[in-house]
Amino acid sequence: MTSHALRSIGVFRCAQRFPYESPRQGVLAPPGEPGRVELDAGLEDAAADLVGFDRVWLVSFLDRAGGWRTRVRPPRHSDRKVGVLGTRSPHRPNPIGISAVRLLAVRGGVLEVAEFDLLDGTPILDVKPYLPWCDSFPDAATGWVGEPGDACRVEFTPAAAARAERVREATELDPVRVACVQLAHEPTDGARKRVAPRDGGGWTFAYRTWRLDFEVEDGRVLVVDVRSGYSSEELADPADPYGDKDVHRAFRAG
């Protein structure tokens, strides 16, 4: 394939650091989740006339995408693999992403946005205004994708919410935000996410070295507990490959 040189014009900043923390599409992001584009110095004037647009296209380089294959199994298709060019998978010949994000404010060389599907540190290649009259085709056919399914409502019991906040304060990981991203759609699909049935009923979602126990009923996901993923025997072992056992010991000690 012919090579072409591109340069980034800025970087994206947000709380999402890992791929599983990012929603499949920006419109599925938790409401109010803040993000921003930090443009390179000298580009402030280039962004001045974005003021007044509700949305912009962010063209990005998906720097954490791995290798690619001609056919992939996308999240919303469990029966067969699909040609990668017929998907929006980040793992493609050129890992370039496009995101129609909500533009909240333009402050010099900083664009404050919401409803995004990018990770912290993602290089931004370009910014373009979103124009509904030429960018939106609501009646267009969507091939194998079909219509989006209804999202589940994700809630935490008061006790689980308090334990999630303890994890966030101790680790900067955010169980509530990740649960809203991962469990709102097909929450029990163990082939697509680290979910397994729980002894005695319900399900468990593995979030790094933490575990979220949840139940599903009538379109609602209820997280009933947030707990350590280490057993007592594992915490007694001095080996600490993830460097977080002290945090887990303190968490279990209450």
Side-chain angles (χ1 to χ4, degrees):
M1 294 186 287
T2 304
S3 296
H4 302 276
L6 297 175
R7 72 177 186 90
S8 63
I9 63 170
V11 66
F12 195 79
R13 293 299 181 196
C14 65
Q16 297 173 174
R17 293 175 291 161
F18 306 102
Y20 53 77
E21 294 181 321
S22 176
R24 299 176 191 170
Q25 306 294 336
V27 294
L28 303 178
E33 186 76 16
R36 67 185 186 276
V37 177
E38 296 180 351
L39 296 173
D40 290 348
L43 292 178
E44 296 83 358
D45 191 49
D49 291 299
L50 287 173
V51 174
F53 289 95
D54 282 342
R55 288 187 176 271
V56 294
W57 290 105
L58 299 184
V59 183
S60 58
F61 179 72
L62 307 178
D63 58 323
R64 272 150 283 189
W68 67 279
R69 297 180 180 179
T70 57
R71 302 189 73 80
V72 297
R73 196 182 300 277
R76 295 189 59 209
H77 201 309
S78 59
D79 297 327
R80 62 182 177 86
K81 291 186 176 182
V82 177
V84 68
L85 298 184
T87 76
R88 295 170 69 151
S89 168
H91 308 289
R92 49 200 318 112
N94 290 302
I96 293 174
I98 54 171
S99 304
V101 303
R102 184 175 296 279
L103 181 62
L104 304 178
V106 180
R107 307 187 191 283
V110 176
L111 313 182
E112 297 181 5
V113 304
E115 298 181 17
F116 52 85
D117 54 358
L118 302 173
L119 301 179
D120 186 59
T122 298
I124 299 300
L125 301 176
D126 202 0
V127 179
K128 300 176 185 290
Y130 176 91
L131 305 176
W133 59 269
C134 65
D135 288 346
S136 177
F137 303 92
D139 297 326
T142 55
W144 62 267
V145 176
E147 296 298 321
D150 293 334
C152 294
R153 187 171 71 256
V154 179
E155 299 176 356
F156 280 63
T157 64
R163 292 168 72 83
E165 179 61 16
R166 287 179 56 200
V167 172
R168 190 190 66 80
E169 291 177 348
T171 66
E172 297 185 353
L173 300 174
D174 192 337
V176 173
R177 176 162 53 81
V178 171
C180 289
V181 169
Q182 289 288 334
L183 302 182
H185 297 271
E186 301 174 351
T188 62
D189 185 358
R192 305 294 179 183
K193 57 196 74 178
R194 298 175 64 195
V195 169
R198 190 172 80 244
D199 291 342
W203 303 81
T204 295
F205 169 57
Y207 173 33
R208 296 183 70 79
T209 55
W210 301 91
R211 301 294 180 264
L212 279 64
D213 294 333
F214 67 94
E215 301 168 354
V216 182
E217 184 176 0
D218 297 330
R220 181 180 74 152
V221 171
L222 180 64
V223 179
V224 297
D225 196 14
V226 177
R227 56 185 174 83
S228 171
Y230 288 113
S231 66
S232 298
E233 292 76 14
E234 289 170 328
L235 285 179
D237 187 338
D240 192 3
Y242 299 107
D244 63 353
K245 284 190 175 180
D246 283 343
V247 173
H248 281 263
R249 293 182 185 108
F251 181 85
R252 293 185 62 170

